[in-house]
Amino acid sequence: MKNPRSHVFRDSHQDIATARQIPDTPQTRSPAYRLAFADNDFLCREELRPVRLQLELLKCDMAMVEAGIKSTVVLFGGARIPAPENADTARTPMLRDLSKYYEEARRFAQMVTKLSVAKGGTENVICTGGGPGVMEAGNRGAAEAGGISIGLNIVLPHEQAPNAYVTPELTFNFHYFAIRKMHFLMRAGAIVVFPGGFGTLDEMFEALTLIQTKRMKPVPFLLFGRKFWETVINWQALADAGTISAEDLELFQFVETAEDAIAAIERSLTNA
C-alpha cells in the first residue's frame, strides 16, 4: 500500500530546477513567466500580504511540531541589559545595576532547562526574542544546561542578529510583529518578564490583556524586579482608577531570583 503522503506529481523543487534550464528568450525572461511560488517580486506584492502572514505562521509552527516542542517558558526582557562582566560598558548607571537580571535570567533558564531535559527536553523549552541582553541570557542558560531553546527574531531597521546561544534549527526570523507575538504565546506554559523597554512593555501588556480578557488561559506570569516594575508602572493607580479591576493585579506576581521564580511556577501549577 502506498504511503498516503507520498507524492504522485513532480515536486516544486524539480520544476524550479527545470525552469532554470529553458532557453533564454524574451518570453522566458518576462516576469510573467516565472513560477508564482518562486517569484519574489510577486510574493512581495501588497496583495499577497495575507499569503505572507500565513507563511510566517506556518513555517515556525511546522518547525516546532517537527522538533516535538510541546510547551515553552517565555522570557521577555531588555536587549540593552548587559551581562555582569560587561556592566562597566552600560550606557547608564541604571542599566549597569540591572545587569544582575541578566545573571538571574541565565540561571533561571538553566534551572528550567535541566528540569525539561530530565523529562525528555520537549516541554518547558526556553523561548526568547533571540536577540541580545536578557534574551541572550535565556538562550545562554538553556545551552549551558545542555538543552535546546527557541529564538524569535524580527527584522528591524538596524538588523537584530540572533545571539550565539539559540538552537540553530529553532532560530526564526519574522517580518510581522503580530505573527511573532502569536508564536511567543501559542505554546507558553509560563511567562517571565525582566526589566526592559518599549518592546518588553508591549509584549508584557499584550499577554496580560489576553489573559485578562480570557482570550488565553491563565499561566504563571512573573515579573522580575519589583522595584523596577513599581517605579515604571503605578499598578495600584490603575486599579484605584477603575481602569483595571483589583483582581487583575493577581494575574502576575513579583520575583527577585531564579529560585523565587521556579518556586512561584511550581506553586501556580500545583494550585491550578
Side-chain angles (χ1 to χ4, degrees), residues 63-83:
M64 297 271 206
V65 170
E66 289 167 2
I69 307 297
K70 297 175 183 174
S71 63
T72 60
V73 173
V74 178
L75 268 68
F76 294 134
R80 299 179 183 185
I81 294 178

Side-chain angles (χ1 to χ4, degrees), residues 101 223-231 235 254-256:
Y101 289 113
L223 306 186
F224 265 81
R226 178 188 289 268
K227 181 180 178 182
F228 175 85
W229 290 112
E230 290 188 340
T231 298
W235 303 93
F254 298 107
V255 295
E256 297 299 329

Side-chain angles (χ1 to χ4, degrees), residues 251-267:
L251 296 177
F252 59 89
Q253 56 187 303
F254 298 107
V255 295
E256 297 299 329
T257 67
E259 289 80 6
D260 291 344
I262 294 293
I265 290 173
E266 289 176 347
R267 283 195 305 273

Side-chain angles (χ1 to χ4, degrees), residues 3-267:
N3 182 337
R5 292 183 63 84
S6 64
H7 296 287
V8 295
F9 300 112
R10 284 172 58 87
D11 69 32
S12 301
H13 293 290
Q14 288 175 307
D15 274 358
I16 289 173
T18 300
R20 289 172 178 160
Q21 299 169 10
I22 56 176
D24 182 19
T25 69
Q27 291 76 21
T28 62
R29 288 196 297 272
S30 169
Y33 190 75
R34 298 173 192 158
L35 290 165
F37 56 82
D39 184 347
N40 286 335
D41 291 334
F42 173 67
L43 289 175
C44 290
R45 286 180 58 146
E46 184 76 13
E47 300 91 334
L48 270 288
R49 178 175 288 137
V51 175
R52 295 194 298 274
L53 285 161
Q54 184 179 21
L55 290 173
E56 285 211 340
L57 181 63
L58 274 172
K59 181 178 180 181
C60 183
D61 190 51
M62 290 171 65
M64 297 271 206
V65 170
E66 289 167 2
I69 307 297
K70 297 175 183 174
S71 63
T72 60
V73 173
V74 178
L75 268 68
F76 294 134
R80 299 179 183 185
I81 294 178
E85 59 268 28
N86 299 322
D88 289 342
T89 65
R91 64 175 67 186
T92 67
M94 176 66 81
L95 281 174
R96 184 184 64 234
D97 293 342
L98 290 175
S99 67
K100 66 183 179 184
Y101 289 113
Y102 180 105
E103 186 60 22
E104 291 305 325
R106 177 181 174 185
R107 293 177 58 244
F108 173 74
Q110 285 178 342
M111 295 166 71
V112 168
T113 303
K114 285 178 181 177
L115 293 170
S116 174
V117 169
K119 295 181 179 180
T122 58
E123 294 187 44
N124 297 326
V125 176
I126 293 294
C127 177
T128 81
V134 166
M135 296 174 280
E136 175 188 283
N139 297 119
R140 181 177 178 180
E144 290 169 344
I148 59 176
S149 69
I150 301 160
L152 306 180
N153 265 166
I154 189 157
V155 178
L156 299 174
H158 301 287
E159 178 61 39
Q160 175 184 273
N163 67 66
Y165 302 100
V166 190
T167 301
E169 296 77 16
L170 296 173
T171 306
F172 304 99
N173 201 16
F174 291 87
H175 173 69
Y176 297 106
F177 267 101
I179 301 300
R180 178 178 181 248
K181 288 177 178 177
M182 282 190 68
H183 281 297
F184 270 126
L185 301 179
M186 283 170 62
R187 292 172 173 80
I191 298 171
V192 182
V193 189
F194 291 82
F198 285 165
T200 302
L201 291 166
D202 174 48
E203 291 154 347
M204 177 183 70
F205 278 121
E206 180 142 24
L208 281 173
T209 301
L210 288 171
I211 295 172
Q212 178 202 45
T213 57
K214 299 184 174 15
R215 299 293 299 187
M216 174 181 169
K217 69 179 183 180
V219 297
F221 204 115
L222 311 179
L223 306 186
F224 265 81
R226 178 188 289 268
K227 181 180 178 182
F228 175 85
W229 290 112
E230 290 188 340
T231 298
V232 298
I233 302 167
N234 193 332
W235 303 93
Q236 189 59 51
L238 292 172
D240 292 344
T243 54
I244 65 172
S245 301
E247 55 265 29
D248 291 334
L249 298 177
E250 299 175 5
L251 296 177
F252 59 89
Q253 56 187 303
F254 298 107
V255 295
E256 297 299 329
T257 67
E259 289 80 6
D260 291 344
I262 294 293
I265 290 173
E266 289 176 347
R267 283 195 305 273

